[in-house]
Amino acid sequence: MKRNLNLSSKNAILMGGILLGAYLLLLLSVTNIGQNRLHNSQINELDLKVINYASSLSYLFKTVKEDIESVAKHKTAYTYFANLSSGMSMKYGLGSSLIQLKRNLQSHTRQNSTLEQTPLFDRMLLLGYNSGVITDTATNQQFSVNSVPFAQMRLDKQMFSVYQENNELRIRIMQNVYHNQELVGILVGYVNKHIFAEFIGHHEHSSNKSQLALITQEKPLVIFNSLTTDELQRAKSNNELIYFHTAIEQTPFFIDAWFEPLSAHQLITSNWFGVALSFLAVPVIFGLYFAIRISNTNLVLKTKIEETDKQQNALTQQNELLKIEIRKRKESEQELAHQASHDPLTGLFNRKCGDAGLRHTLLQAKRKQKNVLLMFIDLDNFKQINDTLGHHAGDNILKQTATRLTNAVRATDMVARIGGDEFLLVIPELSCEIEAKQLASKLLNIFEKPFYVHNTEFFVSTSIGMAIYPRDGDNAETLLANADTAMYRVKEQGRNGFSFYDESMNQGVQRNLDIDARLRQAVANEQLEVYYQPILDVLNNRIVGAEALMRWQDEKLGFVPPDEFIPIAERNGLIHKMGGLVLNKACAQTAKWQQLQPMSIAVNFSCVQFRQHDQLLSSIREALSTSGLDARSLDVEITESLLFSHNQETLTLLNELKSMGAQLSIDDFGTGYSALSYLQKFPFDKLKIDRSFLQSIQSCSASQELVNAIIAMAKALGLKVVAEGVETKWDRDYLLKHQCEYAQGYYFSRPLPADEFEKLLKNKST
Amino acid sequence: MKNIKTRLFNVFSLCITLIGTMNTTYARDLEDIQQDGRLRHIGIPYANFVNYINKDGLYSANGLDIELMEGFAEYIGVNYEFIPSNWATAFGQLTGKEAVFRNHQIEYGNQVGISGDVIANGVTILPWREELVDFSDDYFPSAVWLISRSDSDLHPIKPSDNTEKDIENVKELMANRNILAMEQTCLDPNLYDLDKTGANFILPEKEMKLNEMIPAILNAPEIANNSLLDVPDTLIAMEKWPGEIKVIGPVSNTQRMAAGFRKNSPKLRLAFNEYLKQIRRNGRYQQMVEKYYPSVVYFFSDYFASKEQ
């Protein structure tokens, strides 16, 4: 920036210098041209001046002629000659006329005092023609009558004559005077020589060297002269003067004029002017240089100040932005720190922070030799709530849960959310196990109050697993794993409770892990078998259908009951594949058996399978079409729990199956939530009474009443009833008595492999 | 009817007489005039002595005598007032008693009111006038000449050194000529014994001014080709009608003009004489004469030379 300014200032000086030089050159050129033109102009002007003088003198002589003519024709002249001709004597009358005449002549030779005009004539006299002087304004001066050319005057009315008198040039004009057209006299007017100088001489100035002369036939009459004789002679001989010779119109005279041209001392010559201008240029250039320099300095300073101001402003703005940025960053960091350590949804510590807090607490407990309680809390059925009501509802419940938990514990206790619906409570300085139980009971109690989401009331229970330091572990990992194990124990035991960890729990966990691994393998190797337990018409003991049941005989684990591996399959997702296998096998087998005995096949479907509605429907359709089994022969069994967590899609699926012709049965009725409204809402065909009712029916009248009520209700709703777990003839008879249509159980047949079931069919049919 | 007129005339005359008597007894000399603060100048329009016009809203009063009297009023320290008049009333206005000169004698008229203090209009000093007023020192010369139309067969006389002889020559030429003249003025033929010349003097029935004499002979030659005329009027006439008139010669000797004063105001007259001497000395008088009569000096050079001395 500074360099640019310097460059521009140099350029400015250079430009200024060039401009000034050009200006001076222009001035010199213009001066030179001007001087030439001035010289020409002077000649022209002088020429014009001389012409003007000649014109003026011509006018003057014309005036002289007119003036003397007017005198000749004046009344006084006429009166005089008239009175003279009438014979009047000078003594009596004529003298008066003569006086009047003379007075008139005198008026032309006297200066007019009023107008201060110099008279044209300085002497005027009247001559009688061919006689003497009649009157003369200058009686003291001589006049030679002989000098008047009387004869010539007869020819010319008016005439100029020049003669020398006392070595002085006189110009006079003679004018004829007529009376009654007869030449009676001649007026002689002596032209006042001062009139020339006054008329044109005063136009010249003595400082201007010049000479004006009226040229007559006698000799020149000098009108104006500011040249000495020597100057005039020298100049004339050297031809240094500007000379004009001009005729004066209507006179016999000329005017000669000599003028000195504009000389060096009158004109500023080019050289002198150039030197003066050059001298003038020096201070101007210096002035310009310093002006530009000062201007530049000012400009640089000004620019610097402006730049500084700008920078200051920019810095201020930058500072403001930085402050804002810092504030934002701090907030962001705080937020990030908070986010890093807290769960964004509930505001509780997150898993990482909870873990760190736990470790910290454990260190303190170790130092203080105190107990620490870990509580692993999981919401029961949260997954169903989340799936059916949506994540928003689930989030809402989580937030309410967090609030309830936080409010339930001490400020020194730590509450963290470590997973979807899993919470961790760390209670330092636990005094005894009883205190832990009290706290667990308190937590269970706070979940007895309903949750509200969109004005809908929900009840959510929790399963609480507890581990105590140092009894159940001396590090965080162990304690967390043990508390988790204890929590799962509660889940297994029916949820909504709490449990302390003990050693045996680890064994169950191990078996579950084994089952999980082996089951995957079994499914992959299709080692699972389908057994069929016949369903008979109670009235005639005829097989009307069968329930397909899954059986798994593992090489390592031995026989694993369905109650044990199906929940695991539901958790690890194998249920879908397993369900598909059973369905396909059952449908294919049943289709084959239709030739032996028309029958239906009941297949159990898990709630988990129903979560994937479309996939389930397509797999059923595929199974039916592959096997060629009539849809009416397929009995889809579902549990009450599905109905509890149902949604519109579930209802649609059930209606689809119904429209296909498949039958719908509600399994294990009476053990779950058994909402009677479901029976009306869903299109069920059958109702299967849970085996637990049949197990005590013979000894327990309450069971009998329940069974009776169920059968009565089913009848009322138009549902067929299937009783499960029929093991004795008493059972069979009771059912028959109470008009239960169908039954299954060991009394009739245990679940059989397909080939055995086929034999049974054949035997029955025979 | 005639009686009534006569009675009325008598009553009127009586009143005028009474007023005139009263005025006559009142001298009004220099002191009275100075006390009154005004000098009343009676002037009859004549040549360049008094030019007076008061007609159609135009008022002009100038001339040699007016300038002279204005100077006199200033000299005695009073305001100047011009009283226009004519020859029939002028003396009455000054003296309080009308008087005319008729048939070689003065005829007195009625007593009238005095309205002026001095008569001055180129008044020629004549014997009968001296009976009526006291004249100041004379201040202007004059004479009476015989003037003819230029086409008249009368030829101007050849002047001699003797004026009397010239007069005789002129009188000889006047025989049987119709000559215009005027009584009461200096042109009265009776003043110069012209009745013996055999000339036929024509006196205008209607009163004329002297400057009307030349137009009369120019316009009515059948009545008269010639006229008596005083020198001042002649000089003016020659300028006005150059070539139309000619001077034949003198009828009178040189006459003198002066201002006329009441006989009972001698101090005023003496004061005027003093004033006259003063302006003659200081050249003012000469300027006035040259202003109004530039050529008169030529004819009366002796008069002016003697007065200069």
Side-chain angles (χ1 to χ4, degrees):
Chain A
M1 186 69 183
K2 191 175 177 182
R3 195 179 169 190
N4 286 340
L5 280 173
N6 285 337
L7 280 175
S8 63
S9 66
K10 282 178 185 174
N11 287 338
I13 293 164
L14 192 63
M15 285 298 293
I18 290 168
L19 284 175
L20 190 63
Y23 175 66
L24 292 174
L25 199 64
L26 187 68
L27 270 180
L28 287 170
S29 305
V30 168
T31 306
N32 192 29
I33 292 167
Q35 284 179 346
N36 288 333
R37 287 196 179 174
L38 188 63
H39 185 70
N40 294 333
S41 169
Q42 190 202 11
I43 292 173
N44 292 336
E45 184 197 337
L46 292 173
D47 188 24
L48 204 63
K49 199 179 194 179
V50 173
I51 290 169
N52 191 33
Y53 287 163
S55 176
S56 295
L57 288 175
S58 175
Y59 172 74
L60 175 65
F61 284 115
K62 186 184 173 192
T63 309
V64 165
K65 290 194 272 186
E66 287 175 353
D67 202 50
I68 199 163
E69 190 178 355
S70 73
V71 173
K73 290 180 178 176
H74 193 260
K75 189 174 72 176
T76 53
Y78 173 78
T79 305
Y80 172 77
F81 284 106
N83 290 340
L84 182 67
S85 64
S86 68
M88 282 168 63
S89 62
M90 292 299 283
K91 189 174 182 181
Y92 301 111
L94 188 59
S96 169
S97 300
L98 186 61
I99 287 170
Q100 295 292 351
L101 176 60
K102 189 175 181 180
R103 283 168 66 90
N104 187 38
L105 298 187
Q106 286 171 333
S107 73
H108 285 81
T109 55
R110 269 204 302 265
Q111 181 161 334
N112 188 323
S113 60
T114 310
L115 299 175
E116 292 185 354
Q117 283 180 340
T118 305
L120 290 173
F121 304 96
D122 54 7
R123 182 183 182 188
M124 196 176 275
L125 56 90
L126 177 65
L127 292 174
Y129 187 73
N130 277 335
S131 76
V133 175
I134 295 171
T135 184
D136 188 352
T137 59
T139 49
N140 55 343
Q141 293 179 22
Q142 290 184 340
F143 180 76
S144 170
V145 178
N146 295 331
S147 66
V148 178
F150 287 105
Q152 184 65 32
M153 289 307 291
R154 279 209 170 276
L155 302 175
D156 301 323
K157 289 183 180 177
Q158 204 174 46
M159 183 192 289
F160 278 106
S161 72
V162 182
Y163 74 104
Q164 290 196 61
E165 186 180 80
N166 301 328
N167 205 26
E168 187 183 3
L169 194 76
R170 296 304 310 263
I171 297 173
R172 59 183 188 182
I173 182 166
M174 289 171 284
Q175 167 73 43
N176 288 349
V177 182
Y178 298 91
H179 181 72
N180 294 335
Q181 299 177 341
E182 189 180 339
L183 182 57
V184 291
I186 293 173
L187 264 175
V188 181
Y190 286 72
V191 178
N192 187 353
K193 61 182 178 182
H194 301 296
I195 197 81
F196 299 115
E198 187 175 302
F199 215 64
I200 61 171
H202 72 271
H203 291 296
E204 290 297 313
H205 198 269
S206 57
S207 62
N208 295 328
K209 296 288 184 182
S210 61
Q211 189 188 75
L212 298 174
L214 185 72
I215 305 303
T216 67
Q217 51 270 51
E218 283 289 323
K219 72 172 195 178
L221 173 66
V222 176
I223 297 170
F224 176 84
N225 187 21
S226 56
L227 292 163
T228 63
T229 311
D230 291 342
E231 281 174 343
L232 193 63
Q233 289 301 325
R234 191 178 66 249
K236 280 182 178 175
S237 61
N238 295 337
N239 203 19
E240 289 175 353
L241 297 176
I242 301 171
Y243 170 66
F244 298 95
H245 177 74
T246 307
I248 299 168
E249 288 180 3
Q250 298 179 344
T251 70
F253 310 121
F254 294 85
I255 182 168
D256 275 10
W258 290 267
F259 297 99
E260 187 183 49
L262 290 175
S263 58
H265 68 272
Q266 289 171 306
L267 268 181
I268 301 170
T269 64
S270 297
N271 291 337
W272 277 109
F273 194 64
V275 170
L277 284 179
S278 304
F279 184 72
L280 183 68
V282 173
V284 170
I285 286 171
F286 272 104
L288 186 69
Y289 171 74
F290 283 108
I292 288 170
R293 212 173 144 178
I294 289 164
S295 171
N296 270 342
T297 311
N298 282 342
L299 190 66
V300 169
L301 279 172
K302 205 173 170 185
T303 310
K304 278 181 178 177
I305 289 167
E306 282 176 0
E307 195 63 29
T308 309
D309 284 347
K310 277 182 188 175
Q311 285 174 353
Q312 199 173 354
N313 287 336
L315 279 172
T316 307
Q317 287 179 355
Q318 199 69 23
N319 277 344
E320 288 298 318
L321 289 174
L322 276 172
K323 281 178 184 174
I324 292 167
E325 187 64 25
I326 287 166
R327 195 171 65 243
K328 278 183 181 175
R329 283 194 182 187
K330 277 183 178 173
E331 287 171 2
S332 181
E333 281 171 8
Q334 285 174 354
E335 194 179 333
L336 279 172
H338 191 265
Q339 282 176 0
S341 60
H342 289 76
D343 171 42
L345 180 68
T346 60
L348 299 176
F349 290 116
N350 58 15
R351 185 182 195 94
K352 185 183 170 188
C353 190
D355 193 54
L358 173 62
R359 291 171 197 279
H360 179 70
T361 307
L362 290 177
L363 281 173
Q364 285 187 325
K366 193 173 183 179
R367 196 161 55 239
K368 295 178 182 175
Q369 294 186 333
K370 296 283 184 182
N371 295 322
V372 177
L373 172 64
L374 264 73
M375 299 182 88
F376 221 100
I377 302 170
D378 188 89
L379 301 183
D380 299 332
N381 303 319
F382 177 75
K383 200 169 183 68
Q384 285 86 339
I385 291 168
N386 213 20
D387 290 343
T388 53
L389 298 178
H391 290 292
H392 185 68
D395 290 348
N396 206 326
I397 285 174
L398 288 172
K399 282 196 266 185
Q400 291 185 38
T401 302
T403 307
R404 292 186 186 188
L405 289 175
T406 308
N407 291 338
V409 299
R410 299 171 302 189
T412 52
D413 300 338
M414 186 185 74
V415 182
R417 182 181 172 217
I418 57 172
D421 58 345
E422 292 174 339
F423 297 89
L424 173 69
L425 263 68
V426 178
I427 315 296
E429 300 183 4
L430 182 75
S431 56
C432 60
E433 195 174 308
I434 294 167
E435 186 188 348
K437 281 181 183 176
Q438 287 172 345
L439 181 59
S441 299
K442 183 182 173 185
L443 293 178
L444 288 175
N445 282 335
I446 64 170
F447 281 92
E448 285 177 358
K449 293 176 186 173
F451 289 84
Y452 294 93
V453 177
H454 302 314
N455 297 324
T456 307
E457 193 178 87
F458 289 95
F459 286 93
V460 178
S461 60
T462 59
S463 298
I464 303 170
M466 294 184 283
I468 297 169
Y469 169 86
R471 187 189 73 188
D472 298 328
D474 61 353
N475 60 64
E477 290 80 6
T478 306
L479 287 165
L480 282 168
N482 292 342
D484 190 36
T485 303
M487 190 268 288
Y488 274 105
R489 171 60 58 86
V490 177
K491 292 273 185 192
E492 287 169 6
Q493 289 174 349
R495 307 176 176 177
N496 197 21
F498 60 85
S499 172
F500 285 101
Y501 171 78
D502 64 50
E503 281 295 328
S504 63
M505 284 180 186
N506 269 339
Q507 293 172 3
V509 170
Q510 188 57 50
R511 178 172 171 82
N512 283 345
L513 290 172
D514 290 344
I515 289 170
D516 187 279
R518 299 294 298 174
L519 184 61
R520 289 174 192 276
Q521 203 173 359
V523 170
N525 298 332
E526 294 190 2
Q527 290 171 343
L528 293 173
E529 288 182 280
V530 179
Y531 278 51
Y532 302 92
Q533 185 171 35
I535 298 171
L536 289 92
D537 188 335
V538 176
L539 194 63
N540 54 21
N541 285 337
R542 202 165 57 91
I543 297 172
V544 295
E547 181 181 4
L549 296 165
M550 215 175 287
R551 289 294 180 265
W552 178 30
Q553 183 66 42
D554 188 69
E555 293 174 357
K556 184 182 173 185
L557 300 172
F559 179 74
V560 181
D563 294 344
E564 195 170 10
F565 72 79
I566 283 175
I568 293 169
E570 283 179 340
R571 277 207 292 273
N572 63 19
L574 282 172
I575 192 69
H576 298 289
K577 194 169 183 180
M578 286 163 59
L581 284 171
V582 172
L583 180 63
N584 289 333
K585 280 188 178 178
C587 286
Q589 199 64 59
T590 308
K592 187 181 168 185
W593 290 333
Q594 293 299 321
Q595 295 168 351
L596 299 175
Q597 170 72 41
M599 57 175 288
S600 62
I601 183 71
V603 181
N604 291 289
F605 287 91
S606 162
C607 300
V608 176
Q609 284 177 281
F610 264 84
R611 286 176 195 160
Q612 299 176 354
H613 303 91
D614 297 338
Q615 190 185 343
L616 181 61
L617 185 62
S618 64
S619 64
I620 290 171
R621 278 180 172 152
E622 190 181 350
L624 288 173
S625 72
T626 305
S627 63
L629 183 68
D630 189 345
R632 286 172 294 183
S633 299
L634 179 63
D635 195 349
V636 176
E637 286 193 5
I638 55 173
T639 58
E640 288 177 323
S641 62
L642 173 65
L643 303 180
F644 172 71
S645 60
H646 83 278
N647 54 25
Q648 186 58 40
E649 287 179 336
T650 306
L651 184 59
T652 306
L653 177 62
L654 292 174
N655 284 326
E656 282 272 335
L657 294 171
K658 184 72 182 174
S659 65
M660 282 164 59
Q663 296 184 62
L664 298 177
S665 296
I666 183 160
D667 200 9
D668 301 335
F669 187 79
T671 59
Y673 298 94
S674 298
L676 297 179
S677 63
Y678 296 151
L679 297 176
Q680 192 180 22
K681 191 174 181 179
F682 295 100
F684 289 111
D685 298 294
K686 289 177 186 165
L687 185 153
K688 294 181 85 167
I689 300 170
D690 189 74
R691 64 168 50 88
S692 59
F693 293 108
L694 272 296
Q695 281 172 353
S696 58
I697 191 170
Q698 193 172 0
S699 58
C700 179
S701 60
S703 295
Q704 289 175 11
E705 289 302 325
L706 275 172
V707 170
N708 291 345
I710 291 168
I711 292 170
M713 181 190 68
K715 291 289 178 190
L717 293 170
L719 298 173
K720 302 291 184 186
V721 179
V722 179
E724 290 181 303
V726 178
E727 293 181 353
T728 64
K729 187 176 180 296
W730 189 92
D731 294 342
R732 183 254 170 189
D733 291 342
Y734 186 86
L735 293 171
L736 181 64
K737 185 182 175 182
H738 288 88
Q739 297 177 337
C740 174
E741 285 91 352
Y742 307 109
Q744 70 179 92
Y746 276 46
Y747 174 70
F748 301 108
S749 173
R750 60 179 177 85
L752 300 170
D755 53 345
E756 289 184 28
F757 187 83
E758 192 174 322
K759 286 175 186 174
L760 179 64
L761 276 179
K762 286 174 181 173
N763 290 337
K764 283 278 182 179
S765 63
T766 56
Chain B
M1 189 74 177
K2 193 176 180 181
N3 288 335
I4 294 170
K5 275 188 176 176
T6 309
R7 280 181 187 174
L8 282 172
F9 180 74
N10 290 337
V11 170
F12 180 72
S13 300
L14 184 62
C15 291
I16 294 299
T17 306
L18 285 171
I19 294 165
T21 309
M22 286 167 66
N23 282 326
T24 308
T25 53
Y26 181 61
R28 190 176 166 86
D29 203 351
L30 178 62
E31 295 85 351
D32 303 309
I33 288 166
Q34 284 175 326
Q35 196 172 358
D36 184 36
R38 57 179 179 147
L39 176 71
R40 298 172 299 179
H41 168 207
I42 298 165
I44 302 159
Y46 169 47
N48 282 348
F49 295 104
V50 172
N51 289 313
Y52 173 73
I53 302 169
N54 189 6
K55 191 179 178 184
D56 298 332
L58 174 67
Y59 179 88
S60 172
N62 57 53
L64 176 64
D65 281 20
I66 288 178
E67 194 171 331
L68 197 66
M69 285 303 155
E70 281 175 340
F72 177 50
E74 189 182 350
Y75 175 77
I76 61 175
V78 295
N79 290 327
Y80 170 79
E81 187 178 333
F82 177 68
I83 309 293
S85 185
N86 57 66
W87 284 119
T89 62
F91 289 106
Q93 286 177 283
L94 181 71
T95 61
K97 189 175 182 64
E98 289 183 333
V100 296
F101 186 69
R102 199 170 283 149
N103 298 323
H104 301 281
Q105 61 181 15
I106 298 168
E107 288 182 6
Y108 288 98
N110 296 320
Q111 293 283 347
V112 294
I114 293 171
S115 57
D117 302 313
V118 58
I119 296 174
N121 48 252
V123 181
T124 308
I125 301 170
L126 298 172
W128 66 270
R129 286 174 179 165
E130 286 179 307
E131 289 183 28
L132 297 174
V133 298
D134 282 347
F135 281 101
S136 67
D137 294 342
D138 61 271
Y139 56 83
F140 206 83
S142 185
V144 176
W145 287 349
L146 177 64
I147 310 296
S148 295
R149 286 167 58 98
S150 57
D151 55 1
S152 165
D153 57 353
L154 273 180
H155 287 282
I157 62 159
K158 289 188 178 176
S160 66
D161 295 336
N162 189 339
T163 305
E164 291 294 339
K165 193 177 178 184
D166 290 344
I167 291 169
E168 286 302 317
N169 286 340
V170 173
K171 284 182 178 176
E172 286 176 8
L173 294 173
M174 290 168 74
N176 300 320
R177 299 282 176 179
N178 289 342
I179 298 170
L180 206 57
M182 188 153 51
E183 290 182 323
Q184 303 296 324
T185 71
C186 61
L187 306 185
D188 190 345
N190 295 325
L191 295 173
Y192 314 111
D193 295 331
L194 297 179
D195 49 350
K196 298 170 185 174
T197 60
N200 179 27
F201 287 99
I202 295 169
L203 303 170
E205 293 178 359
K206 189 182 168 188
E207 187 185 344
M208 286 174 70
K209 294 175 183 170
L210 294 183
N211 58 8
E212 292 170 341
M213 301 294 277
I214 297 301
I217 64 168
L218 291 176
N219 295 331
E222 68 279 3
I223 296 171
N225 270 336
N226 315 291
S227 174
L228 298 182
L229 199 63
D230 58 293
V231 171
D233 272 326
T234 303
L235 299 180
I236 292 166
M238 283 199 298
E239 288 178 27
K240 273 188 179 177
W241 298 281
E244 293 188 46
I245 57 169
K246 56 188 177 188
V247 180
I248 304 300
V251 174
S252 76
N253 274 310
T254 299
Q255 296 175 330
R256 286 173 167 72
M257 292 173 172
F261 292 88
R262 274 188 300 273
K263 289 185 177 293
N264 55 1
S265 54
K267 290 179 182 174
L268 184 66
R269 184 170 56 86
L270 288 173
F272 179 77
N273 288 340
E274 288 302 316
Y275 162 70
L276 200 58
K277 284 175 188 167
Q278 186 190 66
I279 62 174
R280 275 182 166 140
R281 279 198 300 272
N282 65 22
R284 175 87 192 277
Y285 171 72
Q286 186 69 21
Q287 289 173 357
M288 287 184 198
V289 170
E290 287 185 4
K291 179 179 176 184
Y292 294 102
Y293 294 100
S295 59
V296 78
V297 181
Y298 180 84
F299 299 103
F300 302 105
S301 54
D302 294 344
Y303 174 85
F304 287 106
S306 67
K307 292 297 176 186
E308 288 284 325
Q309 290 168 3

